């Protein structure tokens, strides 16, 4: 079998309302899919992390930089392909967009392997460890509102997420330390003291501000404090981890086993959040997961994107063993976007694929399908309708 072409599809549509996080507001939702075709008629699909114009830059890397390096290669030689691309790009792209682009290609190669062997992805990476995966709702994005207006919006949204049977939920912060704690207190009051609540700062703080917020989160029994400081600030992560009780989570902006080795070696995090569509794909994710396991750090994948990303992550979590294990283990969770209806999740696949319906029906859990590969096939007509041609 040989790779005959690699196509990159950037999809985009306008949201009904502007949403944001600590770094920016945005009015459009985007997704970046990668399609790898072979001479046997088997097509693999993957996804690259990176929104907006970043997706357009990654499209160029996929088609103009990576494609010429691997056309004619056997797509089943995933390890060889990964290292060939990485080694040839090493001088220019050890992190960031080149690795995001490689991630989408690599996921598509695993999809091809699954289709070739008629096996679901989870069987290829170790088999089923979890028949069901708990799901947490990710919502409460920032908007251009006053703090009091946001408090009302967040309280309403938190109630809706809880009512849909999610096992936990995550909210955004980033207005400033004092205002952020007002938001978190309001949400905690609505969901109750026994419901698992997480907080995501998207590296908005310096160390002192993060310590202020973190101590406030300790009083509110928050499950984790996500990306409190800049991803490069290993010393800040380590000091914050030592000085507050709330779990420190991070890693979505870390790349490859090399970067993750530094993050773990520096004792920066309590919970690892690898982003398979960004860190180097499934080939590299498996190595990062092994690093985390070797250091007894729980893995809760970062998930943001289309149905392709969600399906891929559901397979990865299905195959993830309990750590450290026991009669009543703490299970990893699947992150699921509960903001304004995301048609790249609901309408992209040709197969029936609804995490939200599973969560409602199964009291907060979702199960993977046994379809070959990642288990879903994007609808080409849908792609054509929403593809950006720039």
């Amino acid at each position: 079998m040989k790779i005959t072409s690699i196509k990159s599809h950037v999809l985009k549509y306008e949201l009904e309302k502007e949403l944001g996080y600590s770094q920016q507001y945005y009015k459009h939702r985007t997704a970046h899919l990668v399609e790898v075709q072979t001479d046997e008629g088997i097509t693999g699909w993957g996804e690259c992390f990176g929104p907006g114009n970043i997706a357009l830059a990654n499209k160029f890397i996929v088609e103009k930089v990576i494609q010429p390096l691997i056309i004619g290669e056997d797509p089943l030689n995933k390890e060889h392909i990964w290292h060939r691309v990485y080694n040839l790009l090493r001088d220019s792209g050890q992190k960031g967009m080149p690795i995001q682009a490689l991630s989408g290609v690599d996921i598509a190669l695993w999809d091809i392997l699954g289709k070739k062997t008629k096996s679901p992805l989870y069987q290829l990476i170790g088999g089923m460890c979890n028949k069901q995966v708990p799901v947490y709702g990710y919502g409460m994005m920032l908007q251009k509102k006053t703090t009091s207006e946001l408090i009302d919006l967040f309280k309403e949204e938190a109630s809706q997420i809880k009512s849909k049977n999610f096992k936990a939920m995550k909210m955004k912060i980033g207005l400033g330390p004092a205002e952020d704690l007002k938001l978190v207190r309001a949400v905690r009051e609505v969901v109750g003291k026994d419901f698992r609540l997480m907080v995501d700062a998207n590296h908005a703080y310096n160390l002192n501000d993060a310590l202020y917020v973190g101590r406030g989160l300790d009083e509110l029994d928050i499950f984790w404090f996500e990306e409190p400081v800049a991803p490069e600030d290993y010393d800040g992560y380590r000091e914050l981890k030592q000085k507050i009780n709330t779990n420190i989570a991070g890693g979505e902006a870390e790349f490859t086993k090399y970067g993750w080795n530094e993050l773990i070696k520096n004792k920066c995090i309590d919970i690892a959040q690898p982003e398979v569509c960004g860190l180097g794909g499934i080939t590299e994710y498996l190595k990062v997961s092994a690093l985390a396991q070797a250091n007894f750090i729980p893995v809760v994948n970062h998930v943001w994107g289309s149905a392709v990303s969600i399906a891929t992550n559901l397979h990865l979590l299905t195959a993830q063993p309990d750590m450290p294990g026991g009669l009543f283990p703490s299970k990893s969770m699947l992150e699921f976007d509960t903001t304004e209806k995301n048609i790249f999740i609901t309408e992209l696949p040709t197969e029936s694929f609804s995490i939200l319906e599973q969560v409602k029906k199964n009291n907060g859990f979702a199960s993977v399908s046994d379809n070959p590969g990642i288990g879903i096939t994007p609808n080409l007509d849908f792609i054509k309708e929403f593809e950006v041609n720039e």
Side-chain angles (χ1 to χ4, degrees):
M1 187 188 301
K2 293 183 179 180
I3 296 171
T4 55
S5 74
I6 303 177
K7 298 178 181 178
S8 178
H9 306 280
V10 177
L11 313 182
K12 177 180 177 180
Y13 72 92
E14 186 171 346
L15 296 168
E16 292 183 4
K17 58 186 176 184
E18 196 171 39
L19 300 174
Y21 57 102
S22 67
Q23 303 300 321
Q24 66 173 335
Y25 294 97
Y26 58 92
K27 193 67 168 64
H28 295 87
R29 196 187 296 280
T30 55
H32 179 191
L33 306 183
V34 175
E35 177 186 6
V36 178
Q37 297 178 343
T38 68
D39 61 354
E40 292 190 9
I42 298 175
T43 299
W45 289 91
E47 182 162 359
C48 304
F49 183 73
N53 290 334
I54 293 171
L56 295 175
N58 283 339
K59 175 182 174 68
F60 187 92
I61 296 171
V62 168
E63 295 186 341
K64 304 300 184 182
V65 180
I66 295 177
Q67 178 175 221
L69 298 178
I70 63 175
I71 283 291
E73 293 278 0
D74 184 339
L76 304 188
N77 293 334
K78 302 179 302 306
E79 194 77 26
H80 164 73
I81 289 172
W82 196 96
H83 283 279
R84 172 173 172 76
V85 173
Y86 184 80
N87 289 340
L88 290 174
L89 297 183
R90 182 179 244 136
D91 293 348
S92 305
Q94 298 167 23
K95 293 178 180 285
M97 289 186 286
I99 306 302
Q100 291 173 343
L102 176 56
S103 300
V105 174
D106 182 79
I107 293 169
L109 299 184
W110 280 89
D111 190 33
I112 289 170
L113 175 61
K115 291 171 179 174
K116 173 70 173 178
T117 60
K118 298 180 172 57
S119 302
L121 174 61
Y122 74 82
Q123 287 186 347
L124 302 175
I125 57 175
M128 182 175 287
C129 289
N130 304 292
K131 291 183 179 179
Q132 291 185 311
V133 175
V135 185
Y136 78 83
Y138 166 31
M140 291 167 281
M141 304 286 287
L142 300 183
Q143 298 181 44
K144 292 179 180 178
K145 308 281 187 180
T146 65
T147 302
S148 60
E149 289 173 327
L150 273 181
I151 285 174
D152 291 338
L153 289 172
F154 277 28
K155 288 169 70 174
E156 180 181 357
E157 191 172 350
S159 296
Q160 291 176 354
I161 294 172
K162 186 176 180 181
S163 72
K164 293 174 181 175
N165 285 344
F166 285 96
K167 287 296 184 184
M169 72 178 72
K170 185 169 74 178
M171 61 180 289
K172 292 293 191 186
I173 56 174
L175 303 178
E179 301 302 293
D180 286 340
L181 287 177
K182 291 179 185 177
L183 280 178
V184 181
R185 288 190 194 101
V187 173
R188 169 53 80 198
E189 181 181 332
V190 166
V191 301
K193 63 179 182 179
D194 297 326
F195 192 83
R196 184 174 283 185
L197 176 63
M198 295 85 78
V199 169
D200 186 0
N202 291 107
H203 48 81
Y205 303 120
N206 59 35
L207 177 59
N208 284 338
D209 286 345
L211 282 168
Y212 175 90
V213 174
R215 287 166 180 148
L217 299 182
D218 282 349
E219 297 175 4
L220 295 168
D221 195 24
I222 300 304
F223 184 55
W224 77 55
F225 187 7
E226 182 171 334
E227 280 205 306
V229 295
E232 304 95 329
D233 187 7
Y234 293 158
D235 290 341
Y237 262 102
R238 183 171 58 250
E239 185 170 346
L240 187 63
K241 183 175 177 294
Q242 292 169 348
K243 290 184 177 180
I244 71 170
N245 294 322
T246 301
N247 290 313
I248 301 300
E252 72 180 77
E254 195 53 85
F255 301 88
T256 74
K257 55 185 168 288
Y258 307 114
W260 271 92
N261 187 50
E262 291 301 310
L263 189 68
I264 291 173
K265 186 169 62 177
N266 279 281
K267 300 185 183 302
C268 294
I269 52 175
D270 298 297
I271 294 173
Q273 296 178 302
E275 170 53 72
V276 68
C277 298
L279 64 80
I282 296 167
T283 298
E284 203 68 352
Y285 170 90
L286 296 174
K287 297 177 176 66
V288 169
S289 179
L291 276 173
Q293 290 179 31
N295 288 274
F296 297 95
I297 300 174
V299 174
V300 183
N301 296 354
H302 178 267
V303 184
W304 180 258
S306 77
V308 172
S309 170
I310 294 169
T312 300
N313 277 280
L314 189 51
H315 280 279
L316 297 176
L317 296 175
T318 295
Q320 185 181 114
D322 300 333
M323 191 173 60
L327 285 174
F328 307 102
S330 176
K331 294 287 187 181
S332 185
M333 299 180 288
L334 175 70
E335 179 175 11
F336 185 77
D337 173 17
T338 60
T339 59
E340 179 180 311
K341 182 181 177 182
N342 186 341
I343 62 173
F344 294 155
I345 297 174
T346 58
E347 299 178 31
L348 174 67
T350 56
E351 300 83 359
S352 175
F353 182 77
S354 177
I355 299 296
L356 191 57
E357 286 183 10
Q358 287 198 58
V359 168
K360 290 178 181 178
K361 181 180 178 181
N362 301 322
N363 194 30
F365 289 86
S367 298
V368 75
S369 82
D370 280 327
N371 295 337
I374 64 173
I376 64 166
T377 305
N379 184 315
L380 296 180
D381 290 333
F382 180 90
I383 287 176
K384 186 175 181 180
E385 181 178 356
F386 292 96
E387 188 163 11
V388 176
N389 295 305
E390 293 184 15

